[in-house]
């Protein structure tokens, strides 16, 4: 469970919903020369480190593979325009979560509150020392979540909320769709079938791993400074829109060293654990789902968080190893 908070932060690269209202200094501008060299080395030989839209072809079949961002930013509009015809003409759209899944999740929040909330026994103010609770309560309030609501949240769930910087919370409340939502809406308008790559509960099962005590230990590590969170958010947005997805992911790895109370060696191990759980294992699980879909369809749009594109265990590399020809469109 010690990966929970890091995974929650990475959720912004793979799954979360807010409108991007964060501006200012990018974390990339704050890197030392040594860190910049480390970042460049990490991405130099990374498979498919650049690019957001790819065309995959094999035996007359076509997949449009899209690295999405689950938050809204006006810069998404031209990217959406590049794929809108593909979406309207597809036999099937594959997403991490379909609009039906999103509605099911909303129902789950109501019908299974104990999955997200502490419904019995001591709440967070009882489980934490006064100083830590005061800091967490203040951090929650800065994100529009009153202390009395935060007090009843499962630690892993509060960690997810605290992973979103305050500057992004206004958009979250507005419900503006990110690229995934835009794709789903257009698919609905054109009666194109949609399929989820995994059950809607997959991410929550990752976050819930571990005891309540372990979750609380990681919740304390959510208390990084708002300035750092904002600069990380700006860096993620800038890297995404420049198509530097490998850079987007690896700068998060470097930033772990700046988490208070976490020594670099432990941080590196936690990041590796999180990367395997949140990206690599899910990527591998998706491949047979994609293969089954392609056995029944000729034209598919495959869209998921951009971090799933990259690396040896990324979806693009696994498609290439499976005989798909890949051409970068954007």
């Amino acid at each position: 469970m010690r990966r929970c908070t890091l995974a929650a932060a990475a959720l912004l690269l793979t799954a979360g919903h807010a409108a991007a209202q964060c501006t200012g200094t990018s974390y990339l501008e704050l890197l030392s020369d040594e860190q910049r060299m480390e970042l460049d080395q990490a991405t130099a030989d990374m498979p498919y480190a650049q690019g957001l839209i790819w065309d995959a072809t094999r035996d007359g079949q076509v997949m449009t593979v899209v690295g999405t961002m689950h938050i809204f930013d006006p810069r998404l509009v031209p990217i959406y325009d590049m794929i809108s015809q593909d979406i309207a003409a597809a036999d099937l759209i594959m997403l991490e979560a379909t609009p039906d899944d999103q509605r099911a999740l909303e129902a789950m929040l109501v019908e299974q509150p104990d999955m997200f909330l502490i419904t019995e026994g001591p709440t967070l103010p009882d489980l934490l020392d006064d100083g830590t609770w005061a800091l967490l309560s203040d951090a929650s309030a800065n994100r529009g979540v009153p202390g009395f609501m935060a007090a009843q949240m499962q630690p892993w769930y509060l960690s997810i909320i605290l992973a979103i910087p305050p500057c992004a919370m206004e958009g979250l409340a507005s419900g503006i769709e990110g690229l995934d939502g835009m794709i789903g809406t257009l698919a609905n308008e054109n009666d194109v079938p949609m399929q989820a790559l995994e059950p809607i509960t997959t991410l929550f099962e990752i976050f819930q791993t571990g005891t309540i005590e372990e979750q609380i230990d990681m919740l304390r590590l959510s208390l990084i400074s708002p300035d750092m969170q904002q600069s990380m958010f700006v860096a993620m947005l800038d890297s995404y829109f420049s198509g530097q997805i490998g850079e987007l992911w690896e700068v998060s790895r470097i930033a772990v060293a700046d988490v208070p109370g976490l020594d670099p060696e432990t941080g590196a191990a936690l990041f590796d654990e999180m990367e395997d759980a949140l990206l690599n294992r899910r990527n591998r699980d998706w491949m047979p789902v994609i293969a089954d879909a392609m056995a029944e369809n000729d034209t598919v749009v495959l869209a998921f968080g951009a971090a799933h594109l990259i690396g040896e265990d990324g979806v693009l590399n696994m498609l290439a190893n499976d005989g798909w020809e890949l051409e970068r469109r954007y």
Side-chain angles (χ1 to χ4, degrees):
M1 175 58 227
R2 294 196 302 171
R3 65 172 172 259
C4 176
T5 297
L6 298 179
L11 189 62
L12 293 174
L13 312 183
T14 60
H17 304 274
Q21 303 295 330
C22 300
T23 58
T25 302
S26 166
Y27 187 78
L28 289 166
E29 298 174 37
L30 305 177
L31 295 179
S32 66
D33 291 343
E34 183 179 350
Q35 288 173 320
R36 185 75 240 188
M37 184 179 300
E38 178 185 347
L39 180 61
D40 292 343
Q41 289 175 344
T43 58
D45 298 318
M46 179 186 290
Y48 304 101
Q50 292 86 33
L52 288 175
I53 304 173
W54 294 78
D55 295 305
T57 56
R58 187 182 69 179
D59 299 331
Q61 293 183 303
V62 178
M63 274 194 289
T64 303
V65 185
V66 184
T68 66
M69 184 172 70
H70 313 300
I71 58 177
F72 180 75
D73 186 290
R75 290 172 287 180
L76 285 174
V77 174
I79 296 171
Y80 170 77
D81 289 342
M82 290 180 206
I83 58 174
S84 58
Q85 290 185 352
D86 302 279
I87 297 164
D91 297 325
L92 179 69
I93 308 295
M94 303 191 77
L95 300 162
E96 288 180 71
T98 68
D100 285 344
D101 290 325
Q102 296 293 341
R103 287 187 284 272
L105 177 58
E106 292 170 7
M108 193 184 304
L109 285 164
V110 176
E111 296 166 4
Q112 302 179 45
D114 57 336
M115 188 171 177
F116 306 93
L117 304 175
I118 300 172
T119 56
E120 295 181 355
T123 58
L124 290 180
D126 304 312
L127 296 168
L128 296 162
D129 62 86
D130 291 344
T132 300
W133 171 243
L135 291 171
L136 286 169
S137 180
D138 184 59
S140 301
N142 288 338
R143 291 160 175 80
V145 180
F148 73 89
M149 291 179 61
Q152 295 183 300
M153 291 179 176
Q154 294 283 357
W156 69 267
Y157 188 42
L158 183 55
S159 293
I160 292 176
I161 292 173
L162 296 183
I164 302 171
C167 58
M169 292 302 291
E170 181 180 347
L172 173 62
S174 74
I176 300 174
E177 295 179 326
L179 186 55
D180 312 73
M182 296 162 71
I183 291 170
T185 296
L186 185 59
N188 271 330
E189 291 172 352
N190 287 273
D191 296 319
V192 181
M194 285 178 276
Q195 177 183 338
L197 287 160
E198 62 191 7
I200 190 64
T201 56
T202 299
L203 280 172
F204 295 130
E205 289 166 358
I206 293 172
F207 294 140
Q208 286 178 298
T209 306
T211 66
I212 190 78
E213 290 80 11
E214 289 172 326
Q215 291 184 39
I216 287 172
D217 285 344
M218 288 307 296
L219 181 56
R220 291 188 175 95
L221 295 178
S222 300
L223 296 171
I224 65 175
S225 74
D227 288 345
M228 178 184 169
Q229 272 198 322
Q230 183 157 328
S231 67
M232 277 297 304
F233 205 80
V234 172
M236 290 176 188
L237 293 173
D238 289 349
S239 295
Y240 177 85
F241 287 109
S242 63
Q244 301 297 318
I245 309 306
E247 176 184 83
L248 177 154
W249 185 252
E250 289 301 321
V251 76
S252 301
R253 188 190 305 273
I254 291 171
V256 170
D258 289 334
V259 175
L262 190 65
D263 70 86
E265 185 175 338
T266 301
L270 292 177
F271 193 94
D272 288 343
E273 184 183 356
M274 177 273 296
E275 181 179 50
D276 186 56
L278 195 64
L279 291 184
N280 298 341
R281 274 188 254 162
R282 292 172 67 210
N283 292 347
R284 290 191 289 270
D285 289 343
W286 291 352
M287 296 310 293
V289 179
I290 295 168
D292 288 345
M294 294 310 301
E296 299 180 1
N297 300 278
D298 290 326
T299 307
V300 169
V301 173
L302 180 59
F304 43 71
H308 292 278
L309 294 170
I310 62 174
E312 294 287 345
D313 294 302
V315 171
L316 289 174
N317 200 48
M318 286 192 280
L319 287 174
N321 290 338
D322 198 32
W324 288 87
E325 295 230 0
L326 298 173
E327 182 178 353
R328 179 180 172 181
R329 189 190 306 184
Y330 177 74

